[in-house]
């Protein structure tokens, strides 16, 4: 197959650009405002809100500048209260909706909203749902929801880590409740552990949650090896905590040696990917390259073809270096549209072999 042989729908909505916290504004509540400002004042560098509209615009500009055959675009939509309520409590949803039109800090980890943030978060969750619906309805072989604010840190009753609503979880719960998808595999390759997704599906026997991430004490500090779910869901949470130097080879080994047999055992009807690109080496937390994201996408596509009639949905999470973020999304889309997944090896080996071949003749007697 070559790029363009498969069709992929990319979902986007400009309303998500309205989420734009500005630390120079006056925030609610005053007590949390004081705590956050004290923390920011103690930093040795100037701090600005890392989860900004430029993340999405950089991706869209890349896709418009270097279009990928087989990619089509569709508009997003807003999630309803009922859809959000499948994973968040009614009291939490009420508190978030009351912040419409306001500036507010929601958590000491610097999660905040601006006047248009609530609408942006509703659209982000709804757009993830739209991507799932398109795949389940058979309108596309796979889909990518370019959404923000991200979602995988959002817990049932708490906003965390730049996340208000758990977009991937909302989409998965909708697929269970309305689309007949009984068993859902959620794969989270963001460099940060998806604590919110884990908590939401902790005791759900019909959701297999697989998460590779930089190990604690890296934020959010969860995702230990022995966190495996509870109740009926015991064994359905699979965490793979990794050291900071982890690159493509080790990550792909986790996919082949852990994810593939787990998925073959679970036999999902749908695969949802929490796709953060902050594991790329330019984001300075793990050491993945574009080849790693390409190879992981290939594994997921193979699993989707084997178990789910190809039903595979990507939902954007983190990624704060604009070059690696836009390049990572483009890399994934190239594989989803039919391009060959990359063959990975330890970083630098290819260059060392080339250099050895170049210099070899200098050390051989004529």
């Amino acid at each position: 197959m070559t790029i363009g042989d498969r069709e992929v729908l990319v979902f986007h909505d400009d309303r998500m650009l309205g989420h734009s916290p500005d630390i120079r504004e006056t925030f609610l509540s005053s007590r949390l405002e004081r705590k956050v400002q004290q923390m920011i004042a103690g930093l040795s560098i100037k701090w600005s809100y890392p989860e900004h509209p430029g993340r999405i615009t950089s991706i869209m500009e890349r896709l418009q500048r270097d279009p990928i055959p087989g990619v089509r675009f569709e508009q997003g939509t807003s999630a309803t209260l009922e859809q959000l309520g499948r994973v968040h409590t009614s009291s939490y949803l009420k508190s978030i909706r009351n912040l419409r039109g306001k500036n507010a800090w929601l958590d000491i980890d610097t999660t905040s909203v601006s006047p248009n943030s609530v609408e942006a978060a509703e659209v982000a969750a709804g757009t993830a749902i739209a991507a799932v619906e398109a795949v389940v309805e058979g309108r596309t072989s796979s889909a990518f929801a370019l959404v923000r604010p991200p979602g995988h840190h959002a817990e049932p009753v708490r906003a965390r880590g730049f996340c208000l609503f758990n977009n991937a979880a909302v989409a998965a719960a909708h697929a269970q409740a309305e689309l007949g998808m009984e068993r859902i595999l959620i794969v989270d390759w963001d460099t940060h552990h998806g604590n919110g997704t884990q908590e939401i599906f902790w005791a759900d026997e019909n959701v297999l949650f697989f998460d590779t991430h930089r190990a604690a004490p890296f934020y959010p500090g969860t995702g230990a090896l022995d966190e495996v779910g509870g109740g009926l869901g015991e064994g359905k949470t699979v965490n793979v905590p990794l050291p900071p130097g982890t690159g493509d080879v080790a990550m792909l080994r986790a996919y082949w040696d852990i994810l593939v047999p787990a998925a073959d055992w679970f036999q999902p009807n749908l695969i949802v990917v929490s796709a953060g690109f902050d594991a790329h080496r330019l984001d300075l937390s793990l050491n993945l390259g574009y080849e790693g994201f390409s190879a992981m996408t290939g594994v997921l596509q193979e699993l989707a073809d084997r178990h789910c009639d190809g039903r595979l949905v990507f939902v954007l999470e983190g990624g704060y270096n604009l070059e690696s973020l836009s390049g990572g999304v483009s890399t994934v889309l190239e594989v989803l549209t039919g391009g060959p997944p990359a063959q990975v090896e330890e970083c630098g080996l290819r260059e060392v072999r080339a250099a050895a071949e170049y210099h070899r003749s200098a050390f051989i007697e004529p």
Side-chain angles (χ1 to χ4, degrees):
M1 296 183 69
T2 58
I3 296 175
D5 286 350
R6 291 187 184 225
E7 187 174 86
V8 179
L9 277 179
V10 173
F11 287 82
H12 168 64
D13 194 304
D14 282 341
R15 287 176 290 175
M16 290 181 283
L17 302 180
H19 171 58
S20 187
D22 185 344
I23 63 172
R24 294 170 296 183
E25 297 286 349
T26 300
F27 282 80
L28 304 172
S29 71
S30 59
R31 181 174 181 179
L32 188 54
E33 160 81 358
R34 287 195 300 272
K35 285 185 177 181
V36 174
Q37 294 297 353
Q38 287 172 359
M39 182 177 65
I40 293 173
L43 298 175
S44 58
I45 59 174
K46 182 182 178 182
W47 191 88
S48 58
Y49 204 74
E51 206 294 290
H52 55 83
R55 297 179 62 242
I56 297 295
T57 56
S58 70
I59 296 170
M60 294 300 294
E61 288 170 358
R62 170 72 176 260
L63 296 179
Q64 291 164 1
R65 183 179 69 248
D66 303 313
I68 299 171
V71 169
R72 290 194 300 113
F73 295 89
E74 282 199 12
Q75 186 79 4
T77 187
S78 294
T80 66
L81 196 59
E82 178 184 4
Q83 291 166 340
L84 296 171
R86 294 189 180 111
V87 304
H88 296 291
T89 66
S90 57
S91 60
Y92 174 72
L93 294 176
K94 181 179 179 180
S95 68
I96 294 296
R97 289 164 74 90
N98 285 341
L99 294 176
R100 197 181 302 273
K102 301 177 181 178
N103 294 302
W105 290 113
L106 304 182
D107 199 273
I108 190 63
D109 70 4
T110 66
T111 303
S112 65
V113 295
S114 59
N116 294 315
S117 293
V118 175
E119 179 185 33
E122 291 169 344
V123 172
T127 299
I129 288 175
V132 165
E133 289 181 337
V135 165
V136 173
E137 292 167 1
R139 295 196 294 112
T140 180
S141 59
S142 56
F144 203 127
L146 296 179
V147 299
R148 64 174 294 273
H152 70 152
H153 294 310
E155 300 170 355
V157 297
R158 183 182 178 190
R160 292 189 67 189
F162 310 143
C163 304
L164 303 183
F165 302 137
N166 196 310
N167 306 316
V170 169
H174 177 75
Q176 286 180 311
E178 299 292 337
L179 304 178
M181 298 290 101
E182 295 181 3
R183 296 180 308 281
I184 299 176
L185 168 61
I186 300 178
V187 176
D188 190 327
W189 75 31
D190 190 281
T191 196
H192 303 90
H193 178 244
N195 58 289
T197 311
Q198 174 172 290
E199 181 175 341
I200 288 166
F201 296 112
W202 182 256
D204 192 328
E205 63 180 332
N206 294 313
V207 174
L208 176 63
F209 178 57
F210 175 84
D211 193 308
T212 52
H213 52 275
R214 182 166 164 178
F218 195 69
Y219 184 88
T222 52
L225 203 61
D226 59 358
E227 295 175 18
V228 296
L232 295 176
E234 185 171 356
K236 301 293 175 62
T237 294
V238 182
N239 282 303
V240 186
L242 300 164
T246 299
D248 297 340
V249 174
M251 184 68 78
L252 196 60
R253 177 65 63 184
Y255 271 58
W256 282 116
D257 289 0
I258 307 171
L259 175 61
V260 169
D264 288 344
W265 165 78
F266 184 65
Q267 297 188 6
N269 306 122
L270 170 70
I271 299 175
V272 177
V273 186
S274 274
F277 293 89
D278 42 7
H280 191 278
R281 60 179 61 97
L282 291 181
D283 245 313
L284 305 179
S285 60
L286 289 176
N287 196 37
L288 269 65
Y290 298 128
E291 296 83 1
F293 291 114
S294 174
M296 290 189 296
T297 303
V299 173
L300 292 168
Q301 192 171 59
E302 183 177 323
L303 288 173
D305 288 344
R306 184 153 74 236
H307 297 294
C308 314
D309 292 327
R311 291 186 289 268
L312 177 60
V313 176
F314 285 73
V315 179
L316 185 65
E317 298 288 356
Y320 305 99
N321 179 285
L322 300 186
E323 179 183 344
S324 55
L325 173 61
S326 59
V329 171
S330 182
T331 295
V332 168
L333 290 174
E334 288 177 355
V335 176
L336 293 180
T337 54
Q343 301 296 312
V344 303
E345 61 183 3
E346 185 178 346
C347 183
L349 275 181
R350 184 185 304 112
E351 290 75 12
V352 169
R353 284 197 297 267
E357 184 63 28
Y358 177 83
H359 291 297
R360 193 179 311 279
S361 61
F363 308 110
I364 298 177
E365 292 292 338

